[in-house]
Amino acid sequence: GINAEYMGIVCYEKQATWTGMWNYTWRTGLDEHGLPVHGSMYRYLWTNGPKECLELADYSFDEHFGQPAPSFPPREVLHQYLNEWAKRSGIEKYIKYKHAVESIRKDGDRFSIVVRDLQGDCQVHDVADRVVVASGHFSVPSVPQYPGFDSFPGRICHSHDFRDAVEMRGRRVLIVGAGYSGEDIGLQCHKYGAQHVTISSRSGGLGFKWPQGVEELPILEKVEGNTVTFKGGETRDVDAIVLCTGYVHSLPFMEDSLRLKTRNVMYPGGLYKGVVWQADPTLFYIGMQDEFYTFSLFDIQSRFVCDVIRGKIALPDAAAREEDIKSWKARGDQSQGDSFAMIAFQTEYLCDLVGLVSNCKYTVEILQKIRAMFEQWEHDKADNIMTYRDKAFTSAWTGTKAATPKNTWVDVLDDSAAYFMTRLKA
């Protein structure tokens, strides 16, 4: 939406390519440059939400596949979709890969930026009139400590460092945390041959109808050797522990006065319309919310930011912005913990942005169709957590109904794009 050459746009990206979290790497801990590994993707990951809820306004899945495709593809297929969409934009020439931002501070009316050129192993100094932070918040793990962890004889890892469910074949696995990662990694371990999977959480459990060999128990209290004890006194013997305990918003490169500090909530404080930094409206944050909509949320937020930068959207004064923030944050906080309320809230939030953005391809009607799909997806999971990925949804953009999978998700052990496309053409 912005003439990049005229505006002097540059995008600094730490990784060697685009598509962010959808890049898979075998590396854990530190990367080849000694920096924390960004990606949390693991082998055999399939989308846990319908692709129709991720579909971008200007690149349909019909156009990408050339025919109806199943609603729940594996990671590599979604990566290819994002990669093709990004290539068509023509923006890659403005991206500096292997450039890690080290500091951003305000110097008068402009931002002073220090970047590490990882390839050249040197610092680069830059200035900017506007800054957009879109580094995500699922790359720095939140790692709890439990009594006995230091003497546990098996493996303990965070989901950020989990890479392959086959590693858990024949093992008794404890999953700590009942969010989306805990749910999916627990199912992956079961699917690829774990002897037994126990999912432990503070919330009291997800309440799904788990297959034989998967169970839910209350929160972990302590570990003694291979024996783990849960609140209430029940015990299990386990061989591996995977901490699916979420992530922290980590923005160490931002000056304190510019740094967003928040938990993973539906509406972070301090951001007008969820993106404009209240204390300095020349700074913007993209995708810092807890997310249902993901791709479309990032896209709509980006379009809003572009219009603000180009002067097509005039920001109200600080007092009016603060009132707007308080109103949206109160509603977001009220929705927290109820999936259907959270879906409704984020839909309303995006409808609000769509009403402000010029020439926006997204519409209230489109977003309401996507909302209905999210709600159906929640019902499908409640009906059968093992078969919800076998359902077929209809594109809100093209009206095309997804293909019915030729094999059930449980039976497909090959997650490669090549195998997926072979099944598509069979």
Side-chain angles (χ1 to χ4, degrees), residues 23-256:
N23 289 312
Y24 169 81
T25 176
W26 62 269
R27 294 181 184 273
T28 60
L30 302 179
D31 66 16
E32 64 270 35
H33 305 291
L35 297 175
V37 168
H38 182 78
S40 302
M41 287 287 168
Y42 44 89
R43 292 184 64 194
Y44 313 119
L45 182 145
W46 294 61
T47 58
N48 64 349
K51 76 181 194 307
E52 289 76 19
C53 293
L54 307 174
E55 195 166 20
L56 291 158
D58 45 9
Y59 188 45
S60 70
F61 284 109
D62 283 5
E63 186 176 0
H64 180 72
F65 290 112
Q67 66 182 95
S71 286
F72 294 84
R75 179 207 63 84
E76 190 178 6
V77 173
L78 258 294
H79 178 264
Q80 290 177 351
Y81 170 74
L82 283 176
N83 188 61
E84 185 61 31
W85 169 75
K87 280 197 300 186
R88 292 175 176 221
S89 70
I91 63 167
E92 194 165 22
K93 59 186 175 182
Y94 304 110
I95 302 174
K96 293 185 182 294
Y97 295 121
K98 297 187 178 181
H99 279 67
V101 176
E102 293 186 335
S103 73
I104 298 177
R105 60 183 178 83
K106 202 66 185 283
D107 187 6
D109 293 333
R110 308 189 83 186
F111 293 93
S112 178
I113 303 165
V114 179
V115 182
R116 171 68 58 179
D117 177 348
L118 301 175
Q119 195 78 17
D121 191 23
C122 61
Q123 279 190 336
V124 177
H125 294 262
D126 203 352
V127 294
D129 300 299
R130 304 287 187 274
V131 166
V132 180
V133 180
S135 53
H137 57 91
F138 293 112
S139 61
V140 179
S142 174
V143 183
Q145 170 71 32
Y146 287 93
F149 265 17
D150 54 354
S151 58
F152 179 66
R155 184 183 178 200
I156 302 175
C157 73
H158 191 276
S159 58
H160 178 64
D161 297 321
F162 181 86
R163 290 293 182 267
D164 196 331
V166 173
E167 176 189 349
M168 301 301 176
R169 182 175 292 153
R171 296 185 179 185
R172 299 161 298 181
V173 182
L174 170 63
I175 305 291
V176 179
Y180 291 123
S181 293
E183 166 198 315
D184 193 59
I185 290 176
L187 288 178
Q188 293 284 0
C189 291
H190 172 76
K191 178 178 174 178
Y192 286 91
Q195 180 181 328
H196 189 83
V197 176
T198 302
I199 301 174
S200 162
S201 70
R202 295 185 187 279
S203 63
L206 294 162
F208 294 126
K209 301 167 188 172
W210 299 104
Q212 186 175 358
V214 180
E215 65 174 345
E216 286 188 282
L217 288 175
I219 189 63
L220 174 68
E221 287 195 335
K222 64 180 179 178
V223 177
E224 295 173 296
N226 284 98
T227 302
V228 296
T229 302
F230 305 93
K231 185 177 181 179
E234 281 202 70
T235 63
R236 295 289 186 273
D237 288 341
V238 300
D239 306 301
I241 301 173
V242 184
L243 302 172
C244 299
T245 46
Y247 294 83
V248 296
H249 283 62
S250 179
L251 301 160
F253 51 87
M254 297 299 291
E255 183 178 50
D256 273 355

